[in-house]
Amino acid sequence: MAGKVGFGVCGLECEVVQVLAGVEEPQTFGGWLDSLRLIRHASSAIQIPRIASLLNPQAVDGSIHVNGFVRTIRKQRHVAFATITDGSSTEALQTILTPEQTKGVTLGSAVQIVGEWKPRPSRQDEYELHVRDLKILGEHDSTSYPIQKKFHTREFLRTLPHLRSRLKYNALLLRLRSDVISRVTSFFEELEFVQTHTPVITSSDCEGAGEVFAVESAAAVAKPSKTAATHPRPFFREPKYLTVSSQLHLEALALSVGRVWTLSPTFRAEKSETTRHLSEFYMLEAEVAFVGNVGDLMELLEAMLRAVVSKIQSSRLGEELLLARDDHDKDPENPEITRGELAARWDGITSEEKWPRITYARAITLLQEAERSNTTSFEYPPLVGHSLQAEHERYIAQTVGCGSPVFVTNYPRDIKAFYMAPSGESAGSDDIPTVACFDLLVPDVLELAGGSVREHRFDALMDSLVRHGLTESKEAGVPKNLQWYADLRRYGSVPHGGFGLGFDRLLTYLSGVPNVRDVVSFPRWHGRCDC
């Protein structure tokens, strides 16, 4: 049974399907072959089916070819059993072999198998592969392999980023990333957004926090020789940085084609050791022209996340994510959430109720009331005009969201970036000016996304640059590295806005993994950049 929730998104109408019961049927083996017939010139290796497609009980005529890795092997006097995996499913394929066929086969060996697909004697609704021919494609030294068949801590596995993705759960996280990217792409495509690629090397610090990595050639940063009078000339002539956000460039593109989005790597030179921060991570960002209401941007973000999660709930991937929680629940040292808690997270996103929205001023009032009533205490007092700390966001997410994401809007102007447009409202008894912006908070992960309406008027942007200390005065003009950005206000600017979502944080929330370092294949953080 399914229901539909309608949303008006930036002048468009879209529907998000909510699956209330039932699980989407996995793709059949026959359907998989039908798709492959369109690939007329595909190599034979590409045409070999993935194990996930074979696990759906069915009768298949003829020989079956499988490529994969040996997960387990058990040898008896007259028969041997091996399970094979290729990363396409958390389940493994059961194979029946002769002891002679297993000669040289060890745990982790890469093999190519040809056999007959037959029902299992004990359960006619399940099938197994009776091996006719086995070829070892890659030997595996199981004695020195660092990932043995025992419990390994997440910290230990982080020292082996090139190998840990072979574990079934880490492979599942890779497939989750791919699935979410696919669903986000479909969502934006239906709304006629243009996917773009923005530069990684930039001339400005978008957020203005100064936590940027400088970019230079190795020759330019090398120590000069004794005979060299000066350092080599900088590669770009002027200081350049790794991007901290694609937003400024997306604004330029949105004023060309109206609606744009990107999924791009971003970099922060932030010496943070928390479970929510990385030095290199992916941001999903969208920008929309002819939008001056921050509520439209929140509608867009909410509709996108509902669409993604509703599809996960009804997919085989979602079923695997929930089943994986059962395995982790048995590990007393692992703090990850239970199956029921993960399902509740998804339900909180796809529930029929709209996500709560409160202003920054109201959030501060709730926090102060909680302290006065001794409901809770905070290390940092919640004060108007100051940023919300992680402990404040956690309280708001738990008490206001109650399992659903919650929007906090209209933050004070002076604690937000220079490009945000005024909201027309004030905060606190001192009537502190606020900007038309929002942060999206979710339990445990806390800030998941942020967005705003952009200041599209040139004179108002100049005032903001002065106020934020990016130029001495309006007479001094626009800083050189932002002149191109100011040009967008000179030549046909319109009201516009957008948002940025921490893509890796989203994956931690959807999977139940508590540390963002474990949903990224090759994580980089302060002091660590392996592989």
Side-chain angles (χ1 to χ4, degrees):
M1 178 181 177
K4 292 184 177 180
V5 179
F7 289 90
V9 180
C10 302
L12 300 173
E13 292 295 328
C14 66
E15 289 183 334
V16 178
V17 177
Q18 282 190 304
V19 176
L20 305 181
V23 177
E24 177 182 299
E25 289 295 325
Q27 190 176 25
T28 65
F29 181 60
W32 193 86
L33 282 179
D34 289 340
S35 298
L36 273 184
R37 290 192 182 100
L38 299 175
I39 311 176
R40 297 185 180 275
H41 302 290
S43 69
S44 58
I46 295 296
Q47 295 186 43
I48 292 177
R50 305 302 303 277
I51 286 175
S53 67
L54 293 171
L55 293 174
N56 185 38
Q58 56 199 296
V60 178
D61 295 329
S63 298
I64 297 297
H65 293 241
V66 171
N67 292 332
F69 299 87
V70 177
R71 179 181 290 178
T72 64
I73 186 168
R74 179 165 53 93
K75 302 177 184 179
Q76 297 180 359
R77 185 174 181 179
H78 300 293
V79 68
F81 304 91
T83 57
I84 310 298
T85 180
D86 62 0
S88 63
S89 170
T90 53
E91 295 182 63
L93 181 68
Q94 175 75 27
T95 63
I96 311 298
L97 311 92
T98 65
E100 292 75 19
Q101 289 173 324
T102 63
K103 185 178 179 179
V105 177
T106 62
L107 297 182
S109 294
V111 296
Q112 183 178 78
I113 292 175
V114 180
E116 306 298 327
W117 194 238
K118 297 181 180 180
R120 300 181 69 172
S122 59
R123 299 189 61 177
Q124 292 295 308
D125 61 337
E126 294 184 3
Y127 286 73
E128 58 193 8
L129 190 61
H130 290 246
V131 177
R132 186 171 70 247
D133 181 63
L134 181 146
K135 181 180 179 181
I136 299 176
L137 301 177
E139 296 181 355
H140 180 80
D141 186 356
S142 58
T143 58
S144 64
Y145 188 53
I147 302 178
Q148 295 293 321
K149 195 174 181 180
K150 63 178 183 178
F151 171 73
H152 293 293
T153 65
R154 292 255 178 220
E155 182 59 38
F156 171 73
L157 292 175
R158 288 178 203 133
T159 67
L160 303 167
H162 57 301
L163 296 175
R164 66 175 179 172
S165 60
R166 300 186 184 188
L167 296 172
K168 65 178 182 179
Y169 187 65
N170 291 78
L172 174 61
L173 294 177
L174 276 177
R175 289 188 285 115
L176 171 64
R177 177 181 289 268
S178 176
D179 184 83
V180 174
I181 291 172
S182 175
R183 300 194 189 285
V184 166
T185 301
S186 297
F187 174 83
F188 280 122
E189 189 174 64
E190 289 182 6
L191 294 180
E192 300 184 79
F193 274 68
V194 176
Q195 184 178 9
T196 64
H197 293 149
T198 50
V200 170
I201 300 175
T202 69
S203 59
S204 61
D205 175 4
C206 175
E207 300 298 323
E211 297 165 343
V212 294
F213 289 100
V215 176
E216 193 47 84
S217 68
V221 298
K223 293 182 179 179
S225 64
K226 294 180 180 180
T227 58
T230 60
H231 286 282
R233 185 178 183 181
F235 188 86
F236 291 110
R237 295 184 295 180
E238 298 171 346
K240 303 300 174 186
Y241 313 97
L242 293 181
T243 183
V244 298
S245 172
S246 299
Q247 179 211 309
L248 302 189
H249 293 93
L250 283 180
E251 288 188 51
L253 301 179
L255 294 174
S256 301
V257 292
R259 307 182 189 113
V260 293
W261 75 282
T262 190
L263 180 61
S264 302
T266 53
F267 307 85
R268 300 280 173 93
E270 186 176 5
K271 297 180 180 180
S272 174
E273 300 292 336
T274 76
T275 60
R276 300 178 292 114
H277 290 88
L278 291 171
S279 298
E280 177 186 5
F281 53 97
Y282 271 74
M283 287 288 288
L284 192 163
E285 299 180 76
E287 199 74 22
V288 189
F290 304 101
V291 170
N293 185 346
V294 73
D296 288 338
L297 301 174
M298 291 188 283
E299 291 282 358
L300 175 63
L301 177 57
E302 182 173 344
M304 183 193 74
L305 291 175
R306 283 179 177 271
V308 168
V309 177
S310 64
K311 293 293 186 181
I312 290 176
Q313 286 178 309
S314 61
S315 69
R316 168 128 185 198
L317 176 71
E319 186 179 6
E320 287 183 296
L321 287 167
L322 293 176
L323 289 173
R325 296 292 93 229
D326 292 340
D327 294 336
H328 284 280
D329 293 345
K330 298 172 185 176
D331 175 14
E333 298 182 35
N334 201 313
E336 297 183 16
I337 66 175
T338 67
R339 175 176 181 165
E341 290 169 335
L342 181 59
R345 278 187 179 182
W346 298 351
D347 291 339
I349 292 176
T350 60
S351 67
E352 294 185 5
E353 297 295 327
K354 298 278 288 188
W355 298 350
R357 301 179 183 184
I358 64 170
T359 64
Y360 164 89
R362 178 58 181 160
I364 291 293
T365 299
L366 292 175
L367 294 167
Q368 293 174 340
E369 290 176 350
E371 270 202 323
R372 285 195 296 267
S373 64
N374 294 322
T375 302
T376 187
S377 61
F378 301 111
E379 180 180 356
Y380 299 96
L383 301 173
V384 175
H386 291 249
S387 298
L388 296 180
Q389 301 296 318
E391 58 182 340
H392 304 150
E393 293 178 341
R394 184 173 295 107
Y395 181 83
I396 294 299
Q398 292 172 346
T399 59
V400 177
C402 297
S404 294
V406 55
F407 288 106
V408 180
T409 65
N410 296 359
Y411 283 75
R413 179 183 64 189
D414 292 341
I415 64 173
K416 286 296 185 178
F418 73 92
Y419 50 73
M420 295 187 180
S423 68
E425 298 181 5
S426 59
S429 57
D430 294 333
D431 291 332
I432 297 175
T434 65
V435 285
C437 67
F438 68 85
D439 283 347
L440 179 65
L441 309 181
V442 295
D444 302 318
V445 173
L446 307 183
E447 183 186 349
L448 182 62
S452 73
V453 175
R454 319 307 188 190
E455 180 53 77
H456 70 284
R457 301 163 299 173
F458 180 82
D459 288 341
L461 180 66
M462 283 300 306
D463 290 337
S464 184
L465 289 171
V466 173
R467 192 164 47 246
H468 284 79
L470 297 176
T471 186
E472 293 182 1
S473 64
K474 296 181 71 171
E475 290 72 23
V478 180
K480 185 176 181 180
N481 63 340
L482 288 174
Q483 286 179 358
W484 69 271
Y485 184 71
D487 280 349
L488 302 178
R489 276 68 184 166
R490 291 189 178 100
Y491 308 124
S493 181
V494 299
H496 60 281
F499 63 79
L501 177 144
F503 193 74
D504 303 306
R505 286 190 184 183
L506 174 63
L507 297 182
T508 65
Y509 192 67
L510 297 182
S511 65
V513 174
N515 197 317
V516 70
R517 298 170 188 171
D518 297 322
V519 298
V520 175
S521 299
F522 300 97
R524 282 82 167 90
W525 69 94
H526 179 236
R528 290 286 293 275
C529 184
D530 301 334
C531 292

